[in-house]
Amino acid sequence: MPVIVILDDRVTNRNIFSRLAASLEDGLTVQAFGDPQAALDWTAEHTPDLIITDYKMPGMDGAEFTRRLRAGPGGADVPVIVITVYEDRSFRLRALEAGATDFLQSPVDHQEFLVRARNLLKLGRQQQIIRSRAMMLERELKDSERSREAELRDSRERLAQVIDTVPAMISAVDAAGRCQFVNAYQAEVLGIDPLRCVGKDATTMFGPAHRERSQALDRMVFESGRALPSFEEEVIDRAGRARVFLTTKSPLRDAAQVVASVLTTSLDITERKQAESRLRHLAHHDVLTNLPNRTLLRNRLQRELARGRRGDHMFALLFLDLDRFKGMNDVLGHHLGDRLLQAVAKRLRETARDCDTVARLGGDEFAILQTQLSRREDAENLAQRVIETLAEPFHCEGQELGLTASVGITLHPADANGVDELLRNADMAMYRAKEEGGNTFRFYVADMNRRAFEAVRLEADLRAGIAREQFVLHYQPQMNLRTGRIIGVEALLRWNRPGIGLVRPGEFLPLAEENGLIVPLNAWVLREACAQAARWQRLGLPPLRCSVNLSPVQFRKQDVIALVVAAIEETGLDPTLLDLELTENILMENAESVAATLRELQALGIGLSIDDFGTGYSSLSYIKNFPITRIKIDQSFIRHLKTDPSDTTIVRAIIGLGHNLNLDVIAEGVETVEQFTQLAADGCDEIQGYYLSPPVPAEELRRLVEQGTSLPLPAAAGIG
Ligand code: C2E
Ligand code: MG
Ligand code: MG
């Protein structure tokens, strides 16, 4: 119900105005006051809808009254009509300044009084509606903001929960290497307190070996601004168990698109790896005898061939077939036949050495890959022992059974250079043994005449080639994984054979080693490589280490120290830029004198690398006895990195052991970005391979170095 206040010191006016006001609408209340102060006291407690006041009053005029009303509680918005005498312009002004809303002229026209009062009442009501709408809207707005915030908070919390509970280690580091966050799963696996890690050096979360590689990889992401292809890593958990994780590192950018941190996520694939290795075992073994099958035999043959690249490595492949087994199997029944095959497998395994591979090719066919033999007679002896051990009677389920076998033998490198050729040869030799009545062995006999003729021609061409200087060197760059810079090259020999073109060493080096031509050839290589390396230095290239391959024959027939000293003196090369690549065979052949030679070379400042490491039979603890600087992991291990778990393990172990002995480790034959990343993750120091560049002529190598190939990760691989 509206309330109107009438303020006038004269009773008559007060009564008239009160009556007029009361007639405005039904239910309206009128409060009349003669004293302004009494009116102010009342309005301090109540809020009227309209005030009509006289101007001229004793004690306090209408303007002063309005000013005080406005200043009081609830008085700011009440419409106030001031009644003034017509001429009182200055009074009106004062009343306006004090906050009056409207004026009525005295003597008051009743009609005008009613119209103005009604209008102001209406206006006041509308304003009130608007005010309350505005307030409502404001409240709604606040409510919805509050609920949005709550939702956001909620979803953030849920996200954090998800991050904490996904079965993956998730963490981030900033550019200074400080940990930004670690999820609960990672804290659980590593047995760390996330609250203690945040803001601290992130590397303290892991063991020392893991620490360095993790830092190097983070740096790669910061520098390239791209994610790394995922790689596998072994992590020791809080219980000391080794677990395999598939790890990805990717950049996190700030608002300005600058890489602000690196996010690392690692998925536990331990079980998958175990399942894989079970499947792999099944795929590579014969179920009945648990011997390697044909596939595994082929792999092992391939590796042996890789070991034999230098032509001074011999091995034998024996095929054996049980004589008349099929008939026995039919008569005895398959169950007993199976028992017999298992017994045969056992005896073969006991007859061969641990380093040999005994495989079952199917049915009654077995094979033995005999490694580490120095003479043809070693293979003959093994075949003889196999025949003898099978001749001993077998006792199977109460029966005594006699067996014989036919064995065929082929030798590498004498007979063949490829897996298929070797398998064919051994098979042919085995059939020859069968044809001769079985229970015997035969060697594969090659077409000796043709081979001998080709060897003679090659030798003549080689001699002429040396005399006519048909040889050139190509250089393959080597990159440091920490800096991404080219820090060395390997000099690789090429023969420009007339009518044939550029020939790679695999085709002529084995013969050159056999007939001794390797000695003058390699002397030339050493001098030429030193001269080229010195030339690069004079041209102002950064220091480039130059590696030269040495042959075991040189250590047998030549004064290696004199040769090296002469090359250095002639060319003026800084000896610390020369590196000699030796094979494990060189170390093993004449250990005492070789060690003395190597110590003298080391004293000159020359670096010494073990080439094709892992294919020979020396161990790292053996290498400790020599002043070696570096080991080069053979490419056969790198090729199957990431696909063959045993190679991944071997490579990791070689790197770890090498570092324990203070040796640098370089991987050769790196062809893919995956191999590159895995090696970087495993802490390898340097790489060489087609991924970086194939061997190239000296001029091109110089261009490569001058271009300053930094990490070839983003551009060359085209990832991200
Ligand atoms: P090495 O010392 O192990 O040299 C590495 C071989 O691997 C080189 O073959 C090189 O071209 C090749 N290679 C490099 N990166 C990759 C890659 O990513 N993938 C693959 N599949 N192969 C790669 P190359 O030039 O045919 O040399 C073969 C071997 O000949 C050398 O093996 C070394 O043992 C011998 N050799 C080369 N030059 C000389 C020399 O001047 N003296 C002596 N004694 N032996 C040499
Ligand atoms: Mg080499
Ligand atoms: Mg090599």
Side-chain angles (χ1 to χ4, degrees):
M1 285 301 107
V3 178
I4 297 183
V5 169
I6 303 292
L7 173 59
D8 203 312
D9 53 323
R10 277 171 295 183
V11 184
T12 347
N13 284 353
R14 215 158 52 224
N15 289 341
I16 296 171
F17 295 154
S18 294
R19 240 183 296 116
L20 276 173
S23 72
L24 275 169
E25 30 186 272
D26 290 340
L28 182 146
T29 328
V30 176
Q31 286 288 333
F33 297 95
D35 171 28
Q37 190 51 55
L40 280 174
D41 291 346
W42 188 87
T43 53
E45 315 256 294
H46 307 86
T47 309
D49 297 278
L50 175 65
I51 299 176
I52 298 163
T53 173
D54 186 23
Y55 189 92
K56 276 198 182 131
M57 291 179 290
M60 189 189 300
D61 64 20
E64 182 58 19
F65 166 80
T66 309
R67 205 182 52 70
R68 290 200 195 175
L69 171 84
R70 293 281 184 242
D77 298 321
V78 186
V80 178
I81 299 177
V82 180
I83 301 173
T84 60
V85 180
Y86 184 62
E87 297 89 339
D88 288 351
R89 303 265 323 246
S90 62
F91 298 141
R92 285 197 178 198
L93 210 61
R94 273 195 60 208
L96 263 181
E97 274 167 4
T101 320
D102 202 356
F103 298 95
L104 272 173
Q105 199 183 315
S106 174
V108 172
D109 174 80
H110 290 189
Q111 209 49 47
E112 197 182 348
F113 179 99
L114 289 174
V115 171
R116 298 235 167 152
R118 195 172 288 126
N119 283 349
L120 280 182
L121 271 181
K122 210 152 107 194
L123 197 70
R125 265 193 215 114
Q126 267 160 3
Q127 272 171 352
Q128 203 151 12
I129 291 171
I130 289 170
R131 251 198 315 278
S132 78
R133 286 244 175 95
M135 262 156 66
M136 223 162 70
L137 276 176
E138 203 178 298
R139 234 191 347 264
E140 275 172 16
L141 200 72
K142 270 197 189 127
D143 283 355
S144 85
E145 259 169 22
R146 256 199 301 276
S147 78
R148 250 227 328 274
E149 265 168 31
E151 258 170 39
L152 207 66
R153 219 177 313 116
D154 228 43
S155 81
R156 284 225 185 94
E157 269 165 25
R158 265 201 300 273
L159 188 64
Q161 259 180 26
V162 170
I163 290 176
D164 267 343
T165 47
V166 281
M169 300 203 290
I170 303 176
S171 62
V173 295
D174 64 14
R178 278 184 309 251
C179 170
Q180 291 183 310
F181 70 78
V182 182
N183 74 339
Y185 181 84
Q186 176 159 350
E188 170 66 29
V189 170
L190 300 179
I192 50 173
D193 177 0
L195 292 178
R196 289 233 182 109
C197 293
V198 172
K200 305 262 169 57
D201 184 352
T203 58
T204 52
M205 284 189 283
F206 304 103
H210 195 293
R211 188 174 303 171
E212 216 173 282
R213 91 170 97 110
S214 184
Q215 258 174 346
L217 292 170
D218 287 343
R219 246 194 328 270
M220 267 162 69
V221 179
F222 275 118
E223 278 165 20
S224 71
R226 285 168 192 258
L228 297 181
S230 39
F231 56 90
E232 288 172 16
E233 58 179 348
E234 197 175 81
V235 171
I236 308 296
D237 69 10
R238 66 193 309 173
R241 250 177 331 164
R243 284 158 75 166
V244 188
F245 282 85
L246 186 68
T247 296
T248 313
K249 285 185 179 285
S250 32
L252 291 179
R253 293 170 197 281
D254 61 14
Q257 291 302 306
V258 176
V259 179
S261 41
V262 172
L263 179 74
T264 305
T265 35
S266 305
L267 216 59
D268 188 348
I269 54 167
T270 312
E271 277 178 20
R272 197 186 88 196
K273 296 302 276 186
Q274 282 164 352
E276 267 173 19
S277 87
R278 270 196 303 277
L279 283 177
R280 179 170 298 278
H281 183 88
L282 284 177
H284 287 101
H285 291 81
D286 165 49
V287 183
L288 180 67
T289 61
N290 204 29
L291 287 179
N293 62 13
R294 188 182 287 270
T295 313
L296 186 51
L297 177 69
R298 289 188 71 98
N299 289 354
R300 300 253 168 101
L301 276 170
Q302 235 143 22
R303 176 148 299 165
E304 275 317 299
L305 286 171
R307 285 178 177 158
R309 266 208 305 274
R310 287 162 204 269
D312 55 356
H313 177 80
M314 189 173 176
F315 66 83
L317 177 65
L318 285 74
F319 258 31
L320 76 143
D321 190 278
L322 304 180
D323 299 327
R324 290 172 297 277
F325 178 78
K326 195 175 171 306
M328 270 169 98
N329 203 26
D330 290 345
V331 172
L332 298 170
H334 289 225
H335 173 68
L336 212 56
D338 283 353
R339 293 285 89 70
L340 195 54
L341 286 172
Q342 284 168 334
V344 167
K346 186 158 175 276
R347 282 196 197 172
L348 290 179
R349 213 26 294 170
E350 285 162 1
T351 310
R353 288 166 310 165
D354 283 347
C355 57
D356 300 334
T357 299
V358 178
R360 180 175 177 227
L361 305 179
D364 58 349
E365 276 188 0
F366 294 84
I368 302 176
L369 168 58
Q370 185 189 19
T371 57
Q372 300 185 28
L373 73 169
S374 43
R375 302 163 311 145
R376 176 189 165 94
E377 287 74 33
D378 294 339
E380 194 172 323
N381 287 342
L382 177 60
Q384 195 55 53
R385 272 183 286 133
V386 164
I387 288 170
E388 280 163 17
T389 184
L390 295 183
E392 302 262 329
F394 287 87
H395 299 277
C396 268
E397 301 189 351
Q399 301 209 45
E400 190 177 295
L401 304 163
L403 266 182
T404 60
S406 304
V407 182
I409 310 169
T410 186
L411 297 170
H412 170 84
D415 297 344
N417 279 317
V419 172
D420 291 319
E421 210 183 337
L422 281 164
L423 292 171
R424 248 195 332 267
N425 289 354
D427 201 41
M428 249 193 280
M430 189 270 290
Y431 272 102
R432 215 162 278 178
K434 269 232 173 331
E435 274 165 16
E436 316 228 336
N439 197 21
T440 185
F441 67 86
R442 282 292 173 269
F443 275 95
Y444 169 76
V445 189
D447 181 355
M448 288 302 293
N449 283 339
R450 189 177 50 84
R451 284 186 154 258
F453 175 74
E454 272 174 16
V456 169
R457 222 185 87 184
L458 182 61
E459 183 170 338
D461 281 2
L462 256 182
R463 280 184 200 284
I466 295 174
R468 292 184 194 139
E469 303 186 352
Q470 288 167 354
F471 292 88
V472 284
L473 290 184
H474 280 189
Y475 298 88
Q476 189 173 30
Q478 302 170 332
M479 188 185 83
N480 182 303
L481 278 175
R482 256 171 273 283
T483 60
R485 299 231 166 74
I486 294 175
I487 37 79
V489 297
E490 178 176 6
L492 292 159
L493 185 58
R494 300 289 180 262
W495 179 16
N496 219 332
R497 195 174 178 187
I500 294 184
L502 222 50
V503 181
R504 297 196 20 171
E507 312 221 357
F508 60 88
L509 273 193
L511 182 73
E513 299 219 350
E514 229 175 278
N515 62 24
L517 280 177
I518 186 70
V519 173
L521 201 50
N522 230 359
W524 175 82
V525 171
L526 184 67
R527 221 175 313 113
E528 176 57 26
C530 288
Q532 183 57 61
R535 230 171 283 143
W536 279 326
Q537 291 307 297
R538 281 197 297 274
L539 285 171
L541 254 56
L544 270 187
R545 189 180 69 213
C546 184
S547 299
V548 176
N549 292 283
L550 292 188
S551 157
V553 181
Q554 290 178 285
F555 279 81
R556 268 178 245 143
K557 299 194 175 167
Q558 205 176 15
D559 182 348
V560 175
I561 297 174
L563 182 75
V564 173
V565 168
I568 288 175
E569 280 178 356
E570 263 174 50
T571 59
L573 177 69
D574 173 358
T576 61
L577 291 183
L578 179 62
D579 177 87
L580 301 175
E581 292 196 4
L582 318 166
T583 60
E584 291 171 78
N585 297 357
I586 293 180
L587 302 189
M588 296 182 81
E589 255 175 34
N590 200 344
E592 277 306 299
S593 80
V594 169
T597 305
L598 297 187
R599 273 196 294 276
E600 272 191 57
L601 292 172
Q602 182 200 36
L604 293 173
I606 293 165
L608 299 166
S609 302
I610 302 298
D611 202 356
D612 304 344
F613 187 80
T615 61
Y617 299 103
S618 62
S619 61
L620 272 170
S621 55
Y622 182 78
I623 280 176
K624 203 165 56 183
N625 305 323
F626 300 87
I628 298 301
T629 332
R630 186 174 303 104
I631 44 183
K632 295 187 81 174
I633 306 178
D634 188 64
Q635 29 182 296
S636 60
F637 297 100
I638 309 303
R639 191 168 308 134
H640 301 292
L641 203 64
K642 295 217 80 169
T643 54
D644 188 338
S646 61
D647 280 353
T648 312
T649 315
I650 291 170
V651 167
R652 205 171 280 153
I654 294 177
I655 294 171
L657 289 169
H659 286 169
N660 278 349
L661 294 175
N662 269 331
L663 300 173
D664 275 344
V665 182
I666 177 166
E668 59 181 336
V670 178
E671 294 183 349
T672 67
V673 63
E674 285 81 15
Q675 294 164 348
F676 173 83
T677 318
Q678 186 66 55
L679 286 162
D682 289 342
C684 192
D685 302 292
E686 299 172 7
I687 60 140
Q688 175 184 340
Y690 295 167
Y691 176 60
L692 186 60
S693 162
V696 292
E699 253 320 287
E700 212 171 315
L701 193 279
R702 178 184 158 196
R703 231 170 300 133
L704 270 177
V705 174
E706 281 173 346
Q707 276 164 14
T709 15
S710 64
L711 278 182
L713 183 68
I719 47 158

